[in-house]
């Protein structure tokens, strides 16, 4: 032990509260050492306090330890056991069936070992130095997992480095939010027990993130250790709590942005912060510290200063060291690096070497070192040439992470195609960005050749069992349509405008504005650009003619003399088909083209039409009640089709339009196969039916107005649909128009099958729906914003469920 500690002090405690004190841990270590050791590794499967204590005892006795993660697939566990050659396995009692399934040798239940001791005997040996202490299996994201051999010297040095860098002291309570089967988790385990601290184990993969708040407070955590991705999850669930006892927060394993750490400060008011860089093969390499209250970097957190007893040298293509500040492939050297890869001498020789008394390891990272400070520059195999420029994906990734609406991101290079692909997880607490918005913000930070032309929105990045991004599991971006050149001056004009607005290099004739990432703001910008050339079109024109070629025809034909029928500016056909038609209803000033993404993802056999409130785009007096609007919509549906089956989908206030229109259609002989309500707000009178006070008049996603703005909007409401307000004013006016329609509406019970999707922004009590939906209905919770529910990546789930319902109910 490095530190002396009272034997009664707790050493390891698990989430169930089982505790192993230092006296028990010491006795176990002495017993294991006295019984004797064998050269063959010993495995431990499980994460209880007793299992982890027995793992420490295995290392103390000098037998190579293989910690197994029960969350791994059985095939992976079987591979690790076979390649490690473990001849016995200590197993948490609950995982005995799993141990048998994966073919573990010499299975010893934890309870049996704890009560009866070890059943083998061997040569007594006191371990140390280069003797293997633990074999850590990597995630294998780039191939088969390999066992990294860490010596006793490397483990002890890691604990000493942690004490020096983190100021660890006897009595610290160290939170392990990292699986102990992996290098970072084992670092926390050994740094705690070798420094007289308490290792508190909590596996967030087996419990909800929300449970961490109670655990952090009840256990008196003083140091919190996690990955950046875990910290981002914590930021979303712990913000209403405060943990003043936590004096230190650390992250490792992947890049982290200063914004992520700043978001944690409200609930960690007294915590210093440390980010450290390293790998299974090298252990800690560098640390970057920020004291509590000190300003954080505005961008990506730097790698920091190289730690003691480690040296990092950038080398060129010829293998020779580079001058200070020059970027090269990083080579680490120290007496405390990993010994190599277990049972793989050729793979070991390829990256490990000797220099005097030290080991060397050639990493896959590029970077520079100046005055002892490490600066990373991405992976050596990631760089790609784009338009003749060498681009590092890591730099683009850092810029993406710096955008405030981005929660997580990764950028990869497609060297064959000479392009970058960005994968972005939007912040669900903010307005979901469009692809055009992301490219536009990147264009403010980076040269145009560094802006990814392909960006994919995801609700979460796929990760390996170690929590790192699983690049092999990232979905391929959508294939761009044939990028044929414009055929006339109209297509050339539209192409130039679209490329400028969407920040794209080229646009194909058959590509649609929405598919390329255009949102409502981009539509307004595009229409304004065309208006400067005397072309007056509306968003409904784009919805009806979404591709470049089709929209160019609208531009050519636009003359301002088209005869307006009843549907112009109210109903827009998004797609034609001969199947059961789907009618979508936008609300609170939402344009019809908000349903474009949903329409694209439904079975193409179904026609899709979208309604927007009268007066939003074409000058007309708006409907001042839900029933009046529903009569208009029902009449337009009657004009389009004879009585038959229909599907109705409503977003926000559009959900009330859908229910009222469905009731009128039934009276006229139509069959409503089912309805879908997307984050619809119910009138306050339903709260009063439940015995509650009426909620504040609001619709999710709406900006709260000042008193002056509110009175101005009330005056502007008189001109709704008639006065040519600027787009921002028009949107606010129709938003307030929608608020009033919602509050004045008296909901009638609906007994048809209904799917209800609600977001966290919708504060209505879910029980209120029983007053409205008297037939079969289901409520689905979607973790996104009010408008984002109609955008990627969340709209995919809506489309999938609607598609399943269409198949089940209409064939």
């Amino acid at each position: 032990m490095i530190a002396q500690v009272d034997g009664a002090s707790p050493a390891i405690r698990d989430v169930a509260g089982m505790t192993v004190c230092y006296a028990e841990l010491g006795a176990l270590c002495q017993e294991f050492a006295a019984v004797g050791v064998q050269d063959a590794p010993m495995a431990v499967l499980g994460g209880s306090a007793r299992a982890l204590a027995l793992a420490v005892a295995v290392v103390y006795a000098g037998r190579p330890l293989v910690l197994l993660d029960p969350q791994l697939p059985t095939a992976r566990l079987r591979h690790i056991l076979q390649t490690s050659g473990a001849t016995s396995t200590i197993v948490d009692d609950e995982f005995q069936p799993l141990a048998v399934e994966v073919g573990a040798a010499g299975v010893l239940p934890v309870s049996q070992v704890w009560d009866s001791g070890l059943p083998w005997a061997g040569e007594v040996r006191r371990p140390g130095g280069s003797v293997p202490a633990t074999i850590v299996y990597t995630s294998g994201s780039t191939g088969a997992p390999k066992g990294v051999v860490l010596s006793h010297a490397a483990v002890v040095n890691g604990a000493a480095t942690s004490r020096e860098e983190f100021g660890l002291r006897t009595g610290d309570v160290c939170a392990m939010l990292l699986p102990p089967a992996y290098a970072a988790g084992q670092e926390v385990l050994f740094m705690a027990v070798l420094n007289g601290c308490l290792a508190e184990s909590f596996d967030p993969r087996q419990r909800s993130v929300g449970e961490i708040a109670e655990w952090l407070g009840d256990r008196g955590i003083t140091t919190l250790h996690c990955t950046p991705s875990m910290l981002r999850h914590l930021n979303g669930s712990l913000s209403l709590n405060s943990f003043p006892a936590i004096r230190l927060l650390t992250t490792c394993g992947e890049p982290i942005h200063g914004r992520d750490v700043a978001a944690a400060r409200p609930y960690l008011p007294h915590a210093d912060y440390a980010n450290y860089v390293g790998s299974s093969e090298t252990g800690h390499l560098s640390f970057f510290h920020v004291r509590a209250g000190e300003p954080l970097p505005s961008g990506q957190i730097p790698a920091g200063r190289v730690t003691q007893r480690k040296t990092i040298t950038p080398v060129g293509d010829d293998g020779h060291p580079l001058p200070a500040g020059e970027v090269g492939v990083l080579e680490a050297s120290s007496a405390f690096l990993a010994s190599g890869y277990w049972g793989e001498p050729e793979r070991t020789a390829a990256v490990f070497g000797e220099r005097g008394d030290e080991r060397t390891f050639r990493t896959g990272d590029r970077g520079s070192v100046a005055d002892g400070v490490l600066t990373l520059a991405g992976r050596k195999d990631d760089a790609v040439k784009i338009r003749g420029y060498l681009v590092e994906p890591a730099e683009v990734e850092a810029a993406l992470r710096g955008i405030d609406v981005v929660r997580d991101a990764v950028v990869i290079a497609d060297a064959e195609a000479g392009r970058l692909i960005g994968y972005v997880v939007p912040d669900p607490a903010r307005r979901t960005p469009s692809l055009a918005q992301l490219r536009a913000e990147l264009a403010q930070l980076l040269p145009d050749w560094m802006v990814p032309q392909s960006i994919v929105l995801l609700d979460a990045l796929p990760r390996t069992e170690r929590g790192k991004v699983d690049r092999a599991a990232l979905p391929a971006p959508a294939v761009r349509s044939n990028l044929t050149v414009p055929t006339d001056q109209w297509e050339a004009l539209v192409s130039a405008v679209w490329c400028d607005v969407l920040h794209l290099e080229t646009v194909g004739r058959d590509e649609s504005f929405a598919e390329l990432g255009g949102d409502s703001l981009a539509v307004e910008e595009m229409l304004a650009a065309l208006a400067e050339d005397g072309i007056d079109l509306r968003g409904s024109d784009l919805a009806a003619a979404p591709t470049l070629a089709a929209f160019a025809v609208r531009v050519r034909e636009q003359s301002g003399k088209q005869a307006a029928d009843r549907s112009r500016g109210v109903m827009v056909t998004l797609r034609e088909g001969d199947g059961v038609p789907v009618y979508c209803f936008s609300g609170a000033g939402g344009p019809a083209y908000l349903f474009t993404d949903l329409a694209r993802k439904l079975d193409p056999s179904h026609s899709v039409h979208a309604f927007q409130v009268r007066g939003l785009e074409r000058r007309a007096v708006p409907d001042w009640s839900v029933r009046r609007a529903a009569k208009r919509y029902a009449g337009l549906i009657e004009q389009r089709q004879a009585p038959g089956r229909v599907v109705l989908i409503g977003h926000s206030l559009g959900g009330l339009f859908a229910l009222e229109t469905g009731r009128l259609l039934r009276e006229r002989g139509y069959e409503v196969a089912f309805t879908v309500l997307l984050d619809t707000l119910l009138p306050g009178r339903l709260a009063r039916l439940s015995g509650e006070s009426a909620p504040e008049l609001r619709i999710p996603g709406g900006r709260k107005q000042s008193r002056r703005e509110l009175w101005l909007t009330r005056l502007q409401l008189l001109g709704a649909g008639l006065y040519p307000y600027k787009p921002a004013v028009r949107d606010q006016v129709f938003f307030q128009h929608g608020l009033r329609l919602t509050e004045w509406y008296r909901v009638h019970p609906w007994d048809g099958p209904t799917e209800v999707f609600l977001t966290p922004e919708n504060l209505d009590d879910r029980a209120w729906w029983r007053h409205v939906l008297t037939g079969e209905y289901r409520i689905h919770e979607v973790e996104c914003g009010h408008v984002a529910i109609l955008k990627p990546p969340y709209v995919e789930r809506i489309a999938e469920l609607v598609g399943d319902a269409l198949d089940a109910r209409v064939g």
Side-chain angles (χ1 to χ4, degrees), residues 618-640:
R618 299 291 173 179
R619 185 172 298 182
V621 177
D623 296 307
W624 280 93
S625 72
V626 170
R627 181 172 176 80
R628 191 165 199 167
K631 283 184 176 180
R632 184 179 307 281
Y633 301 152
L636 293 172
I637 292 173
E638 278 188 304
Q639 283 186 8
R640 189 191 174 279

Side-chain angles (χ1 to χ4, degrees), residues 109 115 128-129 195 321 482 586 594 688 763 773:
D115 295 336
N195 285 295
N482 184 22
S586 60
L594 283 178
R688 293 188 283 271
L763 303 181
L773 304 177

Side-chain angles (χ1 to χ4, degrees), residues 147-203:
V148 179
V149 182
L150 299 177
S151 68
H152 281 259
V155 171
V156 173
N157 180 71
T161 299
S162 297
R163 180 184 59 195
E164 295 161 357
E165 296 286 349
F166 300 153
L168 292 178
R169 50 185 179 263
T170 301
D172 265 327
V173 183
C174 306
M176 289 176 56
L177 292 177
L178 304 163
Y182 306 110
Q186 289 188 35
E187 283 174 354
V188 177
L189 173 63
F190 286 108
M191 82 175 190
V193 299
L194 293 181
N195 285 295
C197 306
L198 168 58
E200 283 276 4
S201 177
F202 185 104
D203 191 341

Side-chain angles (χ1 to χ4, degrees), residues 774-789:
T774 58
E776 173 191 351
Y777 75 93
R778 295 186 298 177
I779 292 180
H780 311 268
E781 301 287 347
V782 184
E783 292 296 321
C784 68
H786 179 66
V787 177
I789 201 169

Side-chain angles (χ1 to χ4, degrees), residues 3 49 106 170 251 273 320 371 438 494 516 668 673 682 709 729 785 806:
T170 301
T251 58
Y273 169 71
H320 289 93
D371 297 325
L438 291 173
V494 174
L516 295 172
R668 302 177 191 188
L682 290 170
E709 290 175 323
V729 176
L806 281 167

Side-chain angles (χ1 to χ4, degrees), residues 2 15 67 118 200 257 325 352 415 468 499 563 630 700:
I2 293 177
V15 70
L67 258 177
L118 297 171
E200 283 276 4
H257 199 279
F352 284 94
K468 292 188 176 182
C499 286

Side-chain angles (χ1 to χ4, degrees), residues 450-532:
M450 295 180 68
V451 177
Q453 298 293 285
S454 296
I455 298 179
V456 180
L457 294 180
L458 301 173
D459 56 0
L461 295 178
R463 295 188 177 274
T464 66
E465 64 272 6
R466 297 177 68 192
K468 292 188 176 182
V469 175
D470 187 352
R471 293 170 183 260
L474 290 167
V479 178
R480 297 283 301 274
S481 302
N482 184 22
L483 299 177
T484 50
V485 298
T487 60
D488 57 31
Q489 70 270 29
W490 301 106
E491 290 185 4
L493 170 63
V494 174
S495 177
V497 173
W498 284 21
C499 286
D500 184 55
V501 170
L502 298 174
H503 294 273
L504 290 171
E505 296 173 9
T506 56
V507 174
R509 297 183 66 249
D510 297 326
E511 292 189 300
S512 78
F513 195 81
E515 287 177 329
L516 295 172
D519 61 359
S520 58
L521 295 176
V523 170
E524 295 292 351
E525 185 180 352
M526 183 266 292
L527 295 176
L530 290 174
E532 292 179 1

